[in-house]
């Protein structure tokens, strides 16, 4: 077990150009930070997709209430009376238009553009998910090594971190690669 854990650890250190246990800990911190950043990007893109999907609903509301709104907007006489009798539809139209503007920075209805953006965001999310999975796998490999080190420390009473540091130093000066 000791030799196997030592060898796995040395391979992982070599693959990542890590020279000490401290370097390994720093690598773990970087992986955690990277994964946190990736997850934040995924959440932002997912929220953007949700907002764009809402825009389709708002576009339907605008379409359904457009004729009443335009009739009210073009009135010069009895405008208030017309508004009061069609308040719900006019207000729905205004709210929907405002929400589209909030989400897209324009009140124009551009469903084709929204769909293209959604597809692009979904593609980016897929790429980010693959990247996140790769980071998680690398992190799991490192955690497996940490677990093996702890097991050796606990079961055999050997401070493996010191032994690994010795082995790394020995390898640095005697062998081109820990895989030899």
């Amino acid at each position: 077990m000791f030799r196997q854990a030592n060898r796995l650890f040395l391979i992982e250190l070599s693959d990542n150009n890590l020279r000490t246990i401290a370097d390994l800990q720093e690598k773990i911190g970087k992986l955690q930070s990277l994964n946190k950043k990736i997850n934040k990007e995924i959440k932002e893109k997912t929220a953007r997709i949700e907002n764009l999907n809402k825009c389709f609903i708002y576009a339907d509301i605008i379409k359904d209430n457009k004729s009443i709104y335009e009739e009210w907007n073009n009135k010069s006489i009895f405008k208030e009376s017309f508004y009061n009798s069609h308040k719900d539809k006019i207000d729905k139209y205004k709210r929907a238009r405002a929400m589209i503007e909030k989400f897209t920075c324009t009140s124009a209805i551009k469903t084709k553009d929204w769909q293209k953006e959604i597809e692009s965001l979904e593609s980016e999310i897929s790429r980010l998910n693959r990247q996140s999975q790769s980071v998680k796998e690398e992190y799991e490999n490192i955690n497996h090594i940490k677990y093996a080190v702890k097991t050796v420390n606990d079961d055999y009473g050997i401070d493996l971190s010191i032994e690994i540091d010795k082995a790394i130093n020995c390898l640095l000066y005697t062998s081109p690669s820990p895989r030899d």
Side-chain angles (χ1 to χ4, degrees):
M1 172 93 177
F2 173 74
R3 287 190 182 271
Q4 182 183 12
N6 195 356
R7 187 155 179 75
L8 285 173
F9 191 78
L10 290 173
I11 290 170
E12 184 66 30
L13 290 175
S14 175
D15 286 350
N16 289 289
N17 196 27
L18 304 172
R19 300 198 183 285
T20 65
I21 301 288
D23 291 344
L24 179 65
Q25 294 293 1
E26 183 180 339
K27 177 73 173 179
I28 290 168
K30 286 180 181 178
L31 289 173
Q32 288 171 332
S33 177
L34 177 60
N35 208 41
K36 185 177 179 180
K37 179 184 169 203
I38 291 169
N39 286 331
K40 181 182 176 196
E41 284 185 54
I42 289 171
K43 285 180 185 176
E44 289 170 354
K45 292 179 187 323
T46 300
R48 178 68 179 158
I49 288 171
E50 289 172 5
N51 289 339
L52 288 169
N53 281 325
K54 288 176 187 175
C55 286
F56 286 103
I57 295 167
Y58 294 131
D60 288 340
I61 291 170
I62 289 170
K63 182 181 171 187
D64 292 344
N65 297 291
K66 184 176 183 175
S67 61
I68 297 289
Y69 176 82
E70 286 180 347
E71 186 177 344
W72 168 76
N73 200 35
N74 292 330
K75 281 203 173 285
S76 56
I77 180 170
F78 302 116
K79 191 169 187 164
E80 188 174 334
S81 174
F82 187 86
Y83 175 80
N84 289 334
S85 60
H86 298 92
K87 181 178 181 357
D88 286 345
K89 289 184 178 192
I90 293 169
D91 287 348
K92 279 183 184 179
Y93 179 94
K94 287 179 171 181
R95 271 193 306 274
R97 186 67 73 183
M99 293 307 291
I100 286 176
E101 189 166 351
K102 176 183 174 186
F103 294 140
T104 65
C105 298
T106 178
S107 61
I109 297 173
K110 299 180 178 181
T111 56
K112 288 180 183 177
D113 291 348
W114 300 340
Q115 189 59 44
K116 284 180 187 175
E117 186 175 351
I118 288 171
E119 290 168 4
S120 173
L121 290 166
E122 287 172 340
S123 174
E124 290 177 40
I125 288 171
S126 292
R127 180 187 57 79
L128 288 168
N129 279 329
R130 287 189 302 275
Q131 188 178 357
S132 176
Q133 186 59 37
S134 173
V135 168
K136 286 177 185 174
E137 288 170 5
E138 188 173 354
Y139 182 73
E140 287 173 9
N141 288 339
I142 291 172
N143 267 344
H144 179 73
I145 293 166
K146 283 176 56 183
Y147 173 77
V149 168
K150 182 183 179 329
T151 300
V152 168
N153 288 348
D154 294 346
D155 292 352
Y156 298 101
I158 300 170
D159 188 349
L160 194 55
S161 60
I162 292 171
E163 297 298 322
I164 291 171
D165 282 341
K166 287 180 191 175
I168 291 170
N169 286 331
C170 181
L171 281 173
L172 289 175
Y173 300 110
T174 61
S175 174
S177 169
R179 295 176 196 225
D180 291 343

